[in-house]
Amino acid sequence: MKDISPKNGAFEMPQLAYSSLGDVISSETLSYHHGKHLKAYVDNLNKLLQGSGLENLNLTEVVKRAEGGLFNNAGQVLNHAMYFEQFGNANHQPIGKVKELISSNFGAFEDFKKEFEQKGATLFGSGWVWLSQDADGKLVITQQKNAENPVTMGLKPLLTFDVWEHAYYLDYQNRRADYLSALWQIVDWSVVESRL
Ligand code: MN
């Protein structure tokens, strides 16, 4: 994704490009997840950034260098910016180069989805499941705890599903696996492709 830069020393709220995601993510979940949870991470990030020595860096660089509370909040802002950006109402099948890469790395799209969902379902506690590209161009699926992002491991993140309970509890309660399998209906693969 494009680097997110601070404006006048502060990061802005990542905007949503849609007002609804049908039945997959309810408007109630969207309003809490984006409007309350992400808002808190942005506000905390901006407070903790002051005096950290990392002011004026773009968000990815802050995530790579920060520790403690600043890392947690910067990581969560970057993770959520990517999560909310990748959904939309079109392109729900892999396209172009990312389609080729999924085929050469995982075989059938269904097999890739199964592995990605399984890694998301078995991540213990709060975190994120990621599809990334490594330095050799190979695709990898990783489980990352809490606010972690694959950029800290030298990977290029392409797609992520949030498995913190706040992402699905209002709509799916304890059924995390159902939430994960439903998300494919709203992924816009042109966004994923643009991150290569
Ligand atoms: Mn979240």
Side-chain angles (χ1 to χ4, degrees):
M1 79 178 273
K2 280 186 213 145
D3 283 333
I4 301 173
S5 301
K7 289 189 181 132
N8 301 318
F11 288 97
E12 297 179 335
M13 271 289 285
Q15 295 302 305
L16 293 180
Y18 42 78
S19 57
S20 159
L21 291 167
D23 295 334
V24 176
I25 298 176
S26 69
S27 55
E28 187 184 20
T29 291
L30 266 187
S31 73
Y32 278 98
H33 198 184
H34 182 268
K36 306 284 188 192
H37 289 278
L38 176 53
K39 176 73 163 57
Y41 294 131
V42 171
D43 290 346
N44 286 331
L45 165 61
N46 286 330
K47 267 184 229 153
L48 293 168
L49 204 52
Q50 300 307 315
S52 68
L54 303 180
E55 301 94 334
N56 305 317
L57 294 177
N58 72 45
L59 187 55
T60 300
E61 290 304 315
V62 175
V63 170
K64 284 181 181 172
R65 296 168 199 217
E67 294 177 352
L70 180 55
F71 171 80
N72 288 335
N73 286 281
Q76 285 295 72
V77 175
L78 179 59
N79 297 351
H80 285 91
M82 298 190 71
Y83 176 79
F84 287 117
E85 182 195 48
Q86 74 199 357
F87 298 134
N89 298 311
N91 308 304
H92 300 317
Q93 295 285 326
I95 56 170
K97 183 72 179 161
V98 75
K99 180 181 179 178
E100 287 172 27
L101 284 168
I102 284 176
S103 174
S104 58
N105 284 271
F106 301 99
F109 182 43
E110 291 302 319
D111 292 336
F112 158 71
K113 288 200 291 187
K114 200 168 151 191
E115 183 177 341
F116 196 85
E117 288 174 37
Q118 192 266 342
K119 289 250 168 73
T122 57
L123 194 164
F124 188 78
S126 296
W128 303 76
V129 56
W130 291 89
L131 174 68
S132 303
Q133 190 174 37
D134 71 14
D136 298 325
K138 188 172 177 286
L139 296 188
V140 291
I141 300 173
T142 58
Q143 295 174 319
Q144 316 259 186
K145 286 186 177 300
N146 300 320
E148 290 172 3
N149 183 297
V151 292
T152 61
M153 298 154 52
L155 298 170
K156 184 193 286 182
L158 303 176
L159 172 75
T160 189
F161 287 178
D162 186 347
V163 297
W164 284 60
E165 283 188 345
H166 67 225
Y168 61 88
Y169 215 82
L170 289 174
D171 297 332
Y172 299 87
Q173 295 79 47
N174 61 317
R175 293 174 286 114
R176 186 196 283 185
D178 291 350
Y179 154 76
L180 290 167
S181 63
L183 286 181
W184 303 115
Q185 298 172 49
I186 54 170
V187 172
D188 183 336
W189 283 90
S190 70
V191 178
V192 181
E193 161 91 6
S194 74
R195 293 171 177 168
L196 280 170

